Structures are given as C-alpha cells and as structure tokens.
Coordinates of all heavy atoms in Angstrom, one line a residue:
M1 N 8.0 73.3 117.3 CA 8.2 73.3 115.9 C 7.6 72.1 115.2 O 7.6 71.0 115.8 CB 9.8 73.2 115.6 CG 10.2 72.9 114.3 SD 12.0 72.5 114.0 CE 12.5 74.1 114.2
S2 N 7.0 72.3 114.0 CA 6.3 71.1 113.5 C 6.7 70.9 112.1 O 7.0 71.8 111.3 CB 4.8 71.3 113.6 OG 4.4 72.4 112.9
R3 N 6.5 69.7 111.6 CA 6.9 69.2 110.3 C 5.6 69.5 109.3 O 4.5 69.7 109.9 CB 7.3 67.8 110.2 CG 8.6 67.6 110.7 CD 9.0 66.1 110.6 NE 9.5 65.6 111.8 CZ 9.0 64.6 112.5 NH1 8.1 63.9 112.1 NH2 9.5 64.3 113.7
P4 N 5.8 69.5 108.0 CA 4.7 69.6 107.1 C 3.6 68.6 107.3 O 2.5 68.7 107.2 CB 5.3 69.4 105.7 CG 6.7 69.8 105.9 CD 7.1 69.5 107.4
G5 N 4.1 67.3 107.9 CA 3.2 66.3 108.2 C 2.3 66.6 109.4 O 1.3 65.9 109.6
G6 N 2.7 67.5 110.2 CA 1.8 67.8 111.4 C 2.4 67.4 112.7 O 2.0 67.8 113.8
S7 N 3.3 66.4 112.7 CA 3.8 65.9 113.9 C 4.9 66.8 114.6 O 5.6 67.4 113.7 CB 4.3 64.4 113.8 OG 5.4 64.4 112.9
A8 N 5.1 66.9 115.7 CA 6.0 67.7 116.4 C 7.3 67.1 116.4 O 7.6 65.8 116.5 CB 5.6 67.9 117.9
T9 N 8.4 67.9 116.1 CA 9.8 67.6 116.2 C 10.3 67.9 117.6 O 10.1 68.9 118.2 CB 10.6 68.5 115.2 OG1 10.0 68.3 113.9 CG2 12.0 68.1 115.2
P10 N 11.0 66.9 118.1 CA 11.6 67.2 119.5 C 12.6 68.2 119.5 O 13.4 68.3 118.5 CB 12.1 65.7 119.9 CG 12.5 65.1 118.6 CD 11.4 65.6 117.6
D11 N 12.7 69.0 120.6 CA 13.8 69.9 120.6 C 15.0 69.3 120.9 O 15.1 68.3 121.8 CB 13.5 71.0 121.8 CG 12.3 71.9 121.4 OD1 12.1 72.1 120.2 OD2 11.6 72.4 122.2
T12 N 16.1 69.6 120.1 CA 17.3 68.8 120.3 C 18.5 69.8 120.5 O 18.4 70.9 120.1 CB 17.6 67.8 119.1 OG1 17.8 68.7 118.0 CG2 16.5 66.9 119.0
V13 N 19.6 69.1 121.0 CA 20.9 69.9 121.1 C 21.9 69.1 120.5 O 21.9 67.9 120.6 CB 21.2 70.1 122.6 CG1 22.6 70.7 122.8 CG2 20.2 70.9 123.3
A14 N 22.8 69.7 119.7 CA 23.9 68.9 119.1 C 25.0 68.8 120.0 O 25.5 69.7 120.7 CB 24.4 69.6 117.9
L15 N 25.5 67.5 120.3 CA 26.7 67.2 121.1 C 27.6 66.3 120.3 O 27.2 65.5 119.5 CB 26.2 66.4 122.3 CG 25.4 67.2 123.4 CD1 25.0 66.3 124.6 CD2 26.1 68.4 123.9
I16 N 28.8 66.6 120.5 CA 29.9 65.8 119.8 C 30.4 64.7 120.6 O 30.9 64.9 121.8 CB 31.0 66.8 119.3 CG1 30.5 67.9 118.5 CG2 32.1 66.1 118.5 CD1 31.4 69.1 118.1
S17 N 30.5 63.5 120.0 CA 30.9 62.4 120.8 C 32.5 62.4 120.8 O 33.1 63.2 120.0 CB 30.4 61.2 120.0 OG 31.1 60.9 118.9
A18 N 33.0 61.5 121.6 CA 34.5 61.4 121.7 C 35.1 61.0 120.3 O 36.3 61.2 120.0 CB 34.9 60.5 122.8
A19 N 34.2 60.2 119.5 CA 34.6 59.8 118.2 C 34.5 60.9 117.2 O 35.0 60.7 116.0 CB 33.8 58.6 117.8
G20 N 34.2 62.1 117.5 CA 34.0 63.1 116.5 C 32.8 63.3 115.8 O 32.7 64.0 114.7
V21 N 31.8 62.5 116.2 CA 30.5 62.5 115.5 C 29.5 63.5 116.2 O 29.4 63.5 117.4 CB 29.9 61.0 115.5 CG1 28.5 61.0 114.7 CG2 30.9 60.2 114.8
D22 N 28.8 64.3 115.3 CA 27.9 65.2 115.9 C 26.5 64.6 116.0 O 25.8 64.2 115.0 CB 27.8 66.4 114.9 CG 26.8 67.5 115.3 OD1 26.3 67.5 116.4 OD2 26.6 68.4 114.5
H23 N 26.0 64.3 117.2 CA 24.8 63.7 117.5 C 23.8 64.7 117.9 O 24.2 65.7 118.6 CB 25.0 62.5 118.6 CG 25.6 61.3 118.1 ND1 25.1 60.4 117.4 CD2 26.8 60.8 118.3 CE1 25.8 59.4 117.1 NE2 26.9 59.6 117.7
Q24 N 22.5 64.4 117.8 CA 21.5 65.2 118.3 C 20.8 64.5 119.5 O 20.5 63.3 119.6 CB 20.3 65.3 117.3 CG 20.8 66.1 116.0 CD 21.0 67.5 116.3 OE1 20.4 68.1 117.1 NE2 22.2 68.0 115.7
V25 N 20.8 65.2 120.6 CA 20.3 64.7 122.0 C 19.0 65.5 122.2 O 18.9 66.8 122.2 CB 21.3 64.9 123.0 CG1 20.8 64.4 124.3 CG2 22.6 64.1 122.7
S26 N 18.0 64.9 122.7 CA 16.8 65.5 123.0 C 17.0 66.3 124.3 O 17.9 66.1 125.2 CB 15.7 64.6 123.3 OG 15.8 63.8 124.4
D27 N 16.2 67.4 124.5 CA 16.2 68.2 125.6 C 15.9 67.4 126.9 O 16.4 67.6 128.0 CB 15.3 69.4 125.6 CG 15.9 70.5 124.7 OD1 17.1 70.5 124.4 OD2 15.1 71.5 124.4
A28 N 14.9 66.5 126.8 CA 14.6 65.7 127.9 C 15.8 64.8 128.4 O 16.1 64.7 129.5 CB 13.5 64.6 127.5
E29 N 16.6 64.2 127.5 CA 17.7 63.4 127.7 C 18.8 64.3 128.4 O 19.5 63.9 129.3 CB 18.3 62.7 126.6 CG 19.6 62.0 126.8 CD 19.4 60.7 127.5 OE1 18.4 60.2 127.7 OE2 20.5 60.2 128.0
L30 N 19.0 65.4 127.9 CA 20.0 66.3 128.3 C 19.7 66.8 129.7 O 20.5 67.0 130.6 CB 20.1 67.6 127.3 CG 21.3 68.5 127.5 CD1 22.6 67.6 127.3 CD2 21.3 69.8 126.7
G31 N 18.3 67.1 130.1 CA 18.0 67.5 131.4 C 18.2 66.4 132.4 O 18.1 66.7 133.6
L32 N 18.4 65.1 132.1 CA 18.6 64.2 133.0 C 19.9 64.3 133.8 O 20.1 63.8 134.9 CB 18.6 62.8 132.5 CG 17.2 62.3 131.9 CD1 17.4 61.0 131.1 CD2 16.2 62.3 132.9
G33 N 20.9 65.1 133.2 CA 22.1 65.4 133.8 C 22.9 64.2 134.1 O 23.2 63.9 135.3
Q34 N 23.4 63.4 133.1 CA 24.2 62.2 133.3 C 25.5 62.6 134.0 O 26.3 63.3 133.4 CB 24.3 61.6 131.9 CG 23.1 61.3 131.1 CD 22.2 60.3 131.9 OE1 22.6 59.5 132.6 NE2 20.9 60.5 131.6
P35 N 25.8 62.0 135.1 CA 27.0 62.3 135.8 C 28.2 61.8 135.1 O 29.3 62.2 135.3 CB 26.8 61.6 137.2 CG 25.8 60.6 137.0 CD 24.9 61.0 135.8
D36 N 28.1 60.6 134.2 CA 29.2 60.1 133.7 C 29.5 60.7 132.2 O 30.4 60.3 131.6 CB 29.2 58.6 133.6 CG 27.9 58.1 132.8 OD1 27.1 59.0 132.4 OD2 27.8 56.9 132.5
G37 N 28.7 61.6 131.8 CA 28.9 62.4 130.6 C 28.5 61.5 129.5 O 28.9 61.8 128.3
R38 N 27.7 60.5 129.5 CA 27.2 59.7 128.4 C 25.7 60.0 128.2 O 24.9 60.0 129.2 CB 27.3 58.3 128.8 CG 28.8 57.8 129.0 CD 29.0 56.4 129.4 NE 28.4 55.4 128.5 CZ 29.1 54.9 127.4 NH1 30.3 55.3 127.1 NH2 28.4 54.0 126.7
Y39 N 25.4 60.2 127.1 CA 23.9 60.5 126.6 C 23.5 59.7 125.6 O 24.3 59.1 124.7 CB 24.0 61.9 126.2 CG 24.2 63.0 127.3 CD1 25.5 63.5 127.5 CD2 23.2 63.4 128.1 CE1 25.7 64.4 128.5 CE2 23.6 64.4 129.2 CZ 24.7 64.8 129.3 OH 25.0 65.6 130.3
R40 N 22.1 59.5 125.4 CA 21.6 58.7 124.3 C 21.1 59.7 123.3 O 20.3 60.5 123.5 CB 20.4 57.9 124.9 CG 19.7 57.0 123.8 CD 18.7 56.1 124.4 NE 19.2 55.2 125.5 CZ 19.8 54.0 125.2 NH1 20.1 53.7 123.9 NH2 20.2 53.4 126.2
A41 N 21.6 59.4 122.1 CA 21.3 60.3 121.0 C 19.9 59.9 120.4 O 19.4 58.8 120.7 CB 22.3 60.2 119.9
L42 N 19.4 60.7 119.4 CA 18.0 60.2 118.9 C 18.2 59.0 118.0 O 17.2 58.3 117.8 CB 17.8 61.4 117.8 CG 17.3 62.7 118.5 CD1 16.8 63.7 117.4 CD2 16.1 62.5 119.5
C43 N 19.5 58.6 117.6 CA 19.7 57.4 116.8 C 19.8 56.2 117.7 O 20.0 55.1 117.3 CB 20.9 57.5 116.0 SG 22.4 57.7 116.9
D44 N 19.6 56.4 119.1 CA 19.7 55.4 120.1 C 21.1 55.0 120.5 O 21.4 54.1 121.2 CB 18.9 54.1 119.8 CG 17.5 54.2 120.2 OD1 17.1 55.2 121.0 OD2 16.7 53.5 119.6
E45 N 22.1 55.7 120.0 CA 23.5 55.4 120.3 C 23.8 56.1 121.7 O 23.5 57.3 121.9 CB 24.5 55.9 119.3 CG 25.9 55.5 119.6 CD 26.9 55.9 118.5 OE1 26.4 55.9 117.4 OE2 28.0 56.2 118.9
V46 N 24.4 55.4 122.6 CA 24.9 56.0 123.9 C 26.3 56.4 123.7 O 27.1 55.5 123.2 CB 24.7 55.1 125.0 CG1 25.3 55.6 126.3 CG2 23.3 54.6 125.2
F47 N 26.8 57.6 123.9 CA 28.1 58.1 123.6 C 28.6 59.0 124.8 O 27.9 59.4 125.5 CB 28.1 58.8 122.3 CG 27.4 60.0 122.3 CD1 28.0 61.3 122.5 CD2 25.9 60.1 122.0 CE1 27.3 62.5 122.5 CE2 25.2 61.3 122.0 CZ 25.9 62.4 122.2
T48 N 29.9 59.1 124.8 CA 30.6 59.9 125.7 C 30.9 61.4 124.9 O 31.3 61.3 123.9 CB 32.0 59.4 126.2 OG1 31.7 58.1 126.7 CG2 32.6 60.2 127.1
V49 N 30.5 62.4 125.7 CA 30.7 63.6 125.2 C 32.1 64.1 125.1 O 32.9 63.9 126.0 CB 29.8 64.7 125.9 CG1 30.0 66.1 125.3 CG2 28.3 64.4 125.9
A50 N 32.5 64.7 123.9 CA 33.9 65.2 123.9 C 34.0 66.5 124.5 O 33.1 67.1 124.9 CB 34.2 65.3 122.3
A51 N 35.2 67.1 124.5 CA 35.4 68.4 125.0 C 34.6 69.4 124.2 O 34.3 69.2 123.0 CB 36.9 68.7 124.9
L52 N 34.2 70.5 124.8 CA 33.3 71.5 124.1 C 33.9 72.1 123.0 O 33.3 72.5 122.1 CB 32.7 72.5 125.2 CG 31.9 71.9 126.2 CD1 31.4 73.0 127.1 CD2 30.6 71.4 125.6
S53 N 35.2 72.1 123.0 CA 36.1 72.8 121.9 C 36.3 71.9 120.8 O 36.9 72.3 119.8 CB 37.2 73.4 122.5 OG 38.1 72.4 123.0
A54 N 36.0 70.5 120.9 CA 36.4 69.6 119.9 C 35.5 69.9 118.7 O 34.3 70.0 118.8 CB 36.2 68.2 120.4
P55 N 36.1 69.8 117.4 CA 35.2 69.9 116.2 C 34.6 68.7 115.8 O 35.1 67.6 116.1 CB 36.4 70.4 115.2 CG 37.6 69.7 115.7 CD 37.6 69.7 117.2
A56 N 33.5 68.8 115.1 CA 32.8 67.6 114.7 C 33.5 67.3 113.4 O 33.6 68.0 112.5 CB 31.3 67.9 114.5
E57 N 33.7 66.0 113.2 CA 34.2 65.5 112.0 C 33.1 65.1 111.0 O 33.3 65.1 109.8 CB 35.2 64.2 112.3 CG 36.4 64.6 113.1 CD 37.2 63.3 113.5 OE1 36.9 62.3 112.9 OE2 38.0 63.5 114.4
R58 N 32.0 64.6 111.5 CA 30.9 64.3 110.7 C 29.6 64.3 111.4 O 29.7 64.3 112.7 CB 31.0 62.9 110.0 CG 31.3 61.7 110.9 CD 31.7 60.4 110.2 NE 32.1 59.5 111.2 CZ 31.3 58.5 111.7 NH1 30.0 58.5 111.3 NH2 31.6 57.7 112.6
R59 N 28.5 64.4 110.7 CA 27.2 64.3 111.4 C 26.6 62.9 111.3 O 26.9 62.2 110.5 CB 26.2 65.3 110.6 CG 26.7 66.7 110.7 CD 25.8 67.6 110.1 NE 24.6 67.8 111.0 CZ 23.5 68.5 110.7 NH1 23.5 69.1 109.5 NH2 22.5 68.5 111.4
C60 N 25.9 62.6 112.4 CA 25.3 61.2 112.5 C 24.1 61.2 111.7 O 23.1 61.9 111.8 CB 24.9 61.0 114.0 SG 24.0 59.5 114.2
R61 N 24.2 60.3 110.7 CA 23.1 60.1 109.7 C 21.9 59.6 110.4 O 20.7 59.9 110.0 CB 23.6 59.3 108.6 CG 24.5 60.0 107.7 CD 25.2 59.3 106.6 NE 24.1 58.8 105.8 CZ 24.3 58.0 104.7 NH1 25.5 57.5 104.6 NH2 23.3 57.5 104.0
G62 N 22.0 58.7 111.3 CA 20.9 58.1 112.1 C 20.1 59.3 112.8 O 18.8 59.3 112.8
C63 N 20.8 60.2 113.4 CA 20.0 61.3 114.1 C 19.4 62.2 113.1 O 18.3 62.7 113.4 CB 21.1 62.2 114.8 SG 21.7 61.4 116.4
L64 N 20.0 62.5 112.0 CA 19.3 63.2 110.9 C 18.1 62.5 110.3 O 17.1 63.2 110.1 CB 20.2 63.5 109.7 CG 21.5 64.3 110.1 CD1 22.5 64.4 108.9 CD2 21.1 65.7 110.5
V65 N 18.0 61.2 110.3 CA 16.9 60.5 109.8 C 15.8 60.7 110.8 O 14.6 60.9 110.5 CB 17.2 59.0 109.6 CG1 15.9 58.2 109.4 CG2 18.0 58.9 108.4
E66 N 16.1 60.7 112.2 CA 15.1 60.9 113.2 C 14.6 62.3 113.2 O 13.5 62.5 113.5 CB 15.7 60.7 114.6 CG 16.0 59.1 114.7 CD 14.7 58.3 114.8 OE1 13.7 58.7 115.2 OE2 14.9 57.1 114.3
L67 N 15.4 63.3 112.9 CA 15.0 64.6 112.8 C 14.1 64.9 111.7 O 13.1 65.7 111.7 CB 16.2 65.6 112.7 CG 16.9 65.8 114.1 CD1 18.1 66.7 113.7 CD2 16.0 66.4 115.1
V68 N 14.4 64.2 110.6 CA 13.6 64.5 109.3 C 13.2 63.1 108.8 O 13.9 62.6 107.9 CB 14.3 65.3 108.2 CG1 13.4 65.5 107.0 CG2 14.9 66.6 108.7
P69 N 12.1 62.5 109.4 CA 11.8 61.1 109.1 C 11.2 60.9 107.7 O 11.0 59.8 107.2 CB 10.9 60.7 110.2 CG 10.3 62.0 110.7 CD 11.3 63.0 110.5
Q70 N 10.8 62.0 107.0 CA 10.3 62.0 105.7 C 10.9 62.8 104.8 O 11.3 63.9 105.1 CB 8.6 62.4 105.8 CG 7.9 61.6 106.8 CD 6.5 62.2 106.9 OE1 6.0 63.1 106.1 NE2 5.8 61.8 107.9
P71 N 11.1 62.3 103.5 CA 11.7 63.1 102.5 C 10.9 64.4 102.1 O 9.6 64.3 102.3 CB 12.0 62.1 101.3 CG 10.9 61.2 101.5 CD 10.7 61.0 103.0
D72 N 11.4 65.3 101.5 CA 10.8 66.5 101.0 C 10.0 66.1 99.8 O 10.7 66.1 98.7 CB 11.7 67.7 100.9 CG 11.0 69.0 100.4 OD1 9.7 68.9 100.6 OD2 11.7 69.8 99.9
E73 N 8.8 65.8 99.9 CA 8.1 65.5 98.7 C 7.3 66.6 98.0 O 6.7 66.4 97.0 CB 7.0 64.3 99.1 CG 7.6 63.1 99.5 CD 6.7 62.0 100.1 OE1 5.4 62.4 100.1 OE2 7.0 60.9 100.4
H74 N 7.4 67.8 98.5 CA 6.7 68.9 98.1 C 7.7 70.0 97.4 O 7.4 71.1 97.4 CB 5.8 69.6 99.2 CG 4.9 68.7 99.7 ND1 3.8 68.2 99.1 CD2 5.0 68.0 101.0 CE1 3.2 67.3 99.9 NE2 3.9 67.2 101.1
A75 N 8.9 69.5 97.1 CA 9.9 70.5 96.5 C 9.4 70.9 95.2 O 8.9 70.1 94.3 CB 11.3 69.8 96.4
A76 N 9.6 72.2 94.9 CA 9.2 72.7 93.5 C 10.0 72.1 92.4 O 9.7 72.0 91.3 CB 9.4 74.3 93.5
D77 N 11.3 71.8 92.7 CA 12.2 71.3 91.7 C 12.2 69.8 91.9 O 12.5 69.2 92.9 CB 13.7 71.8 92.0 CG 14.7 71.3 91.1 OD1 14.3 70.8 90.0 OD2 15.9 71.6 91.4
S78 N 12.0 69.1 90.7 CA 11.9 67.6 90.7 C 13.1 66.9 91.0 O 13.3 65.9 91.6 CB 11.3 67.1 89.3 OG 12.2 67.4 88.3
R79 N 14.4 67.6 90.6 CA 15.7 67.1 90.9 C 16.0 67.2 92.4 O 16.4 66.2 92.9 CB 16.7 67.9 90.1 CG 18.1 67.4 90.4 CD 19.1 68.1 89.5 NE 19.0 67.8 88.1 CZ 19.4 68.5 87.2 NH1 20.1 69.5 87.4 NH2 19.3 68.1 85.9
R80 N 15.6 68.2 93.0 CA 15.7 68.4 94.5 C 14.8 67.3 95.2 O 15.3 66.8 96.1 CB 15.3 69.8 94.8 CG 15.4 70.0 96.5 CD 14.9 71.3 96.9 NE 15.9 72.3 96.6 CZ 15.7 73.7 96.7 NH1 14.5 74.0 97.0 NH2 16.6 74.5 96.4
Q81 N 13.7 67.1 94.6 CA 12.8 66.1 95.3 C 13.4 64.7 95.2 O 13.4 64.0 96.2 CB 11.4 66.1 94.6 CG 10.4 65.0 95.3 CD 9.1 65.1 94.6 OE1 8.9 66.0 93.8 NE2 8.3 64.2 94.9
R82 N 14.0 64.3 94.0 CA 14.6 63.0 93.9 C 15.8 62.9 94.8 O 16.1 61.8 95.3 CB 15.0 62.8 92.4 CG 13.8 62.4 91.5 CD 14.3 62.0 90.1 NE 15.3 62.8 89.5 CZ 15.0 63.8 88.7 NH1 13.8 64.1 88.3 NH2 15.9 64.5 88.0
R83 N 16.5 64.0 94.8 CA 17.8 64.0 95.7 C 17.4 63.8 97.2 O 18.0 63.0 97.9 CB 18.6 65.2 95.5 CG 20.0 65.2 96.0 CD 20.8 66.3 95.5 NE 20.1 67.7 95.6 CZ 20.0 68.4 94.6 NH1 20.2 68.2 93.3 NH2 19.3 69.6 94.8
S84 N 16.4 64.4 97.6 CA 15.9 64.4 98.9 C 15.4 62.9 99.3 O 15.7 62.4 100.4 CB 14.7 65.4 99.2 OG 14.1 65.2 100.4
V85 N 14.7 62.3 98.4 CA 14.2 60.9 98.7 C 15.3 60.0 98.6 O 15.3 59.2 99.5 CB 13.1 60.6 97.6 CG1 12.7 59.1 97.6 CG2 11.8 61.5 97.7
A86 N 16.3 60.2 97.7 CA 17.4 59.2 97.6 C 18.2 59.3 98.9 O 18.6 58.3 99.5 CB 18.3 59.5 96.5
T87 N 18.6 60.6 99.4 CA 19.3 60.7 100.7 C 18.6 60.1 101.9 O 19.2 59.5 102.6 CB 19.6 62.2 100.8 OG1 20.2 62.9 99.8 CG2 20.3 62.5 102.1
W88 N 17.3 60.4 101.9 CA 16.5 59.8 103.0 C 16.5 58.3 103.0 O 16.7 57.7 104.0 CB 15.1 60.3 102.9 CG 14.1 59.8 103.9 CD1 14.0 60.1 105.2 CD2 13.2 58.7 103.7 NE1 13.0 59.4 105.8 CE2 12.5 58.5 104.9 CE3 12.9 57.9 102.6 CZ2 11.5 57.4 105.0 CZ3 11.9 56.9 102.8 CH2 11.3 56.7 103.9
A89 N 16.3 57.7 101.7 CA 16.2 56.3 101.6 C 17.6 55.7 102.0 O 17.6 54.6 102.8 CB 15.8 55.8 100.3
H90 N 18.6 56.2 101.6 CA 20.0 55.7 101.9 C 20.3 55.7 103.4 O 20.7 54.8 104.1 CB 21.1 56.5 101.2 CG 22.4 56.0 101.4 ND1 22.8 54.8 100.8 CD2 23.5 56.4 102.1 CE1 24.1 54.5 101.2 NE2 24.5 55.5 101.9
A91 N 19.9 56.9 104.1 CA 20.0 56.9 105.5 C 19.1 56.0 106.3 O 19.5 55.4 107.2 CB 19.8 58.4 106.0
L92 N 17.9 55.8 105.8 CA 17.0 54.8 106.4 C 17.5 53.4 106.3 O 17.4 52.6 107.3 CB 15.6 55.0 105.8 CG 14.5 54.2 106.3 CD1 14.3 54.5 107.8 CD2 13.3 54.2 105.5
L93 N 18.1 53.1 105.2 CA 18.6 51.7 105.1 C 19.8 51.5 106.1 O 19.8 50.4 106.6 CB 19.1 51.4 103.6 CG 18.0 51.3 102.6 CD1 18.7 51.2 101.2 CD2 17.2 50.1 102.9
G94 N 20.6 52.6 106.2 CA 21.7 52.4 107.3 C 21.1 52.2 108.6 O 21.7 51.5 109.4
R95 N 20.1 53.1 108.9 CA 19.5 53.0 110.2 C 18.8 51.6 110.5 O 19.1 51.0 111.6 CB 18.5 54.0 110.4 CG 17.9 54.1 111.7 CD 17.1 55.3 112.0 NE 16.5 55.3 113.4 CZ 15.4 54.8 113.8 NH1 14.6 54.1 112.9 NH2 15.0 54.7 115.0
L96 N 18.2 51.1 109.5 CA 17.5 49.8 109.7 C 18.6 48.7 109.8 O 18.4 47.7 110.6 CB 16.6 49.5 108.5 CG 15.4 50.4 108.4 CD1 14.7 50.1 107.0 CD2 14.5 50.1 109.5
A97 N 19.7 48.8 109.0 CA 20.7 47.8 109.1 C 21.3 47.8 110.5 O 21.6 46.8 111.2 CB 21.8 48.0 108.1
R98 N 21.5 49.0 111.1 CA 22.1 49.1 112.4 C 21.2 48.5 113.5 O 21.6 48.0 114.4 CB 22.4 50.6 112.7 CG 23.3 50.8 114.0 CD 23.6 52.3 114.2 NE 22.4 53.1 114.4 CZ 22.0 54.0 113.5 NH1 22.6 54.3 112.4 NH2 20.9 54.6 113.8
L99 N 19.9 48.8 113.4 CA 19.0 48.4 114.3 C 18.9 46.9 114.2 O 18.6 46.1 115.3 CB 17.7 48.9 114.0 CG 17.4 50.4 114.4 CD1 16.0 50.9 114.0 CD2 17.7 50.7 115.8
E100 N 19.0 46.3 113.1 CA 19.0 44.8 113.0 C 20.3 44.1 113.3 O 20.5 42.8 113.2 CB 18.6 44.4 111.6 CG 17.1 44.9 111.3 CD 16.7 44.7 109.8 OE1 17.6 44.2 109.0 OE2 15.6 44.9 109.5
G101 N 21.4 44.9 113.5 CA 22.6 44.4 113.9 C 23.5 44.0 112.7 O 24.5 43.2 112.8
M102 N 23.2 44.4 111.5 CA 23.9 44.1 110.4 C 24.7 45.4 109.9 O 24.4 46.5 110.3 CB 22.9 43.8 109.2 CG 22.0 42.6 109.5 SD 20.9 42.2 108.3 CE 20.7 43.6 107.2
A103 N 25.7 45.1 109.1 CA 26.5 46.2 108.6 C 25.8 46.7 107.3 O 25.4 45.8 106.5 CB 27.9 45.8 108.2
P104 N 25.6 48.0 107.0 CA 25.0 48.4 105.8 C 25.7 48.1 104.6 O 27.0 48.2 104.6 CB 24.8 49.9 106.0 CG 25.8 50.3 107.0 CD 26.0 49.1 107.9
S105 N 25.1 47.7 103.5 CA 25.8 47.4 102.2 C 25.8 48.6 101.4 O 24.8 49.4 101.5 CB 25.1 46.3 101.5 OG 23.8 46.6 101.2
C106 N 26.8 48.7 100.6 CA 27.0 49.8 99.7 C 26.6 49.5 98.2 O 27.3 50.0 97.3 CB 28.4 50.6 99.8 SG 28.6 51.2 101.5
S107 N 25.6 48.7 98.0 CA 25.3 48.3 96.6 C 24.3 49.1 96.0 O 23.7 49.9 96.6 CB 24.9 46.8 96.6 OG 23.8 46.7 97.4

C-alpha cells in the first residue's frame, strides 16, 4: 500500500493495550512473537496486550500520526483540507512533546 507521496505504508495490525488504547503494531513486530505479550507500537510505546474480547476505549493518536504522517493537502473541499491539517498538526505536537518527555499543552 502506498501513500500519495509515494512512500510505502507499513502493514499493521490493531492491538488493544491493557489500558484500552487501540495501538497499531507492525507485522514485523508482531512476527517476533513476544512471549510476555508486550509489543512496541508504531508510536514507540511498549504495551501489554489486553484480552482479545476487550473493547478499545480510544485510538492512539501517535500511531495514527505514524500511519498518516502528512495531512491531506489535495482535498477537493477547502474546509476538509483545513480540518485535516489541523488534526495532523495537533497530533504531531502531542507526539513531539511525548518524544521530548514533556506533557502536551492544550493552548
């Protein structure tokens, strides 16, 4: 699968953490067969997998940023394009803050 920019998107599987967060895990990471049930998500968080029947309470925004690293700049609707860029930028700021060890600000 490839993005409009031309780079390949890694094949991923959605796994739910014990905290109820839906993370994306690459097929390569899943293929390692972790004996302790802990996997590294695309957002670099290492988590314990919940029971397969557990519902996801929310999706990991860091994983979503990794899946779609660029906003949709080719939307036919300018409102959709602005919304796409704003969502992407907000998620990117959260990911950068997490990588720098800071809490994201909501200003």
Side-chain angles (χ1 to χ4, degrees):
M1 173 187 281
S2 63
R3 286 185 227 126
S7 58
T9 302
D11 291 331
T12 62
V13 174
L15 293 178
I16 301 169
S17 71
V21 180
D22 183 9
H23 285 286
Q24 297 294 319
V25 177
S26 70
D27 281 347
E29 174 72 18
L30 194 61
L32 294 176
Q34 304 299 330
D36 60 354
R38 296 175 59 87
Y39 293 93
R40 182 174 303 278
L42 291 182
C43 66
D44 277 342
E45 182 176 332
V46 177
F47 66 96
T48 302
V49 178
L52 293 177
S53 60
E57 295 175 14
R58 60 189 168 90
R59 296 183 73 183
C60 175
R61 292 174 57 187
C63 288
L64 294 176
V65 168
E66 291 297 326
L67 286 175
V68 185
Q70 302 173 13
D72 181 13
E73 297 176 354
H74 304 289
D77 180 12
S78 63
R79 181 176 291 163
R80 177 184 286 169
Q81 180 180 353
R82 285 193 307 270
R83 197 168 45 239
S84 173
V85 171
T87 302
W88 174 82
H90 185 71
L92 182 62
L93 288 175
R95 181 170 184 268
L96 291 174
R98 189 177 64 251
L99 291 175
E100 294 173 358
M102 303 178 341
S105 64
C106 296
S107 56

